[in-house]
Amino acid sequence: MEALALPAALGLVAGGGAGLSPEHRAALGASLPLVQRDYRFERVWFWGCIQGVRGAYYIAEGLGPDRAAPRSRLYSLNCLDWSLLTPATKEVLALAEQVKGRFQGDPSFEYNLAEINAEAAERLVQSGKEPVMKEEARLIATIEEIDRAVGIIPRGAFVKTPLGSVHENRHFEGLSLAEAKKLSSYFHFTEPVNLKNKTLLEKADLDPSTDFLDSLEHDIPQGSWSIQLEKGGTVVLLRSLLWLGLTFYHVPMTKQFGYIYFGNGEKNLDLPFML
């Protein structure tokens, strides 16, 4: 969610039990503007928090003019000192999916890959690398996976130009209450998959400037999203049941929207059996 709107936004999603202490809120209010200035980001989003056994990781994302471009991600252990994370490779993403259990809260903690994937460990040994994976690498892979799976935006909030870049839609004034209660009104803010498989006839009614992403209505498994109205029906909340702790909020008929994650960084693999 937008760093400048963080205090108000946290109040809107607090119904799920997520939140920050006054000390951490004050620290973020002081440090995130400095992050935006020092790294020359156009916008800074506070992504959320992954709770470990011995500590927590607070995550922020820096964005440039093209909102669809890869984001810069940073983490902090105290909401004051921020470290830039390197982008995750396909190999790291694949290995991180196999790591089970809670985060430790220590970026230098090492996972023994021989116990996780013997073949991958053997390849690393043959290439002269240690068969270990630092928790910092698992952290960036987990953030990437959560963003791809459940990072969402309302329809029309962003527009795609003929050159392919994506920008905020200055004419977006929010969804109506009726539209805000439909899963089809929300898109995954990542590279589309289902859209590419649609026929020309199915694409005929789509606006290429706004309907360039996959909607939530076809997410698998069905029922992986919970939609609720709170604060007298003035706020729409979407909660992911696949990544417990991910909450998206939107105030209908306004530009206020965003998502935040407060969880342990583990996917709910039991979801298909719970539905």
Side-chain angles (χ1 to χ4, degrees), residues 62-74:
L63 294 86
D66 184 357
R67 295 294 190 263
R71 305 167 206 168
S72 298
R73 297 186 173 102
L74 306 95

Side-chain angles (χ1 to χ4, degrees), residues 191-199 203 214:
E191 187 70 22
V193 177
N194 297 329
L195 185 65
K196 296 178 181 178
N197 299 326
K198 288 188 175 183
T199 64
K203 293 180 180 179
D214 289 334

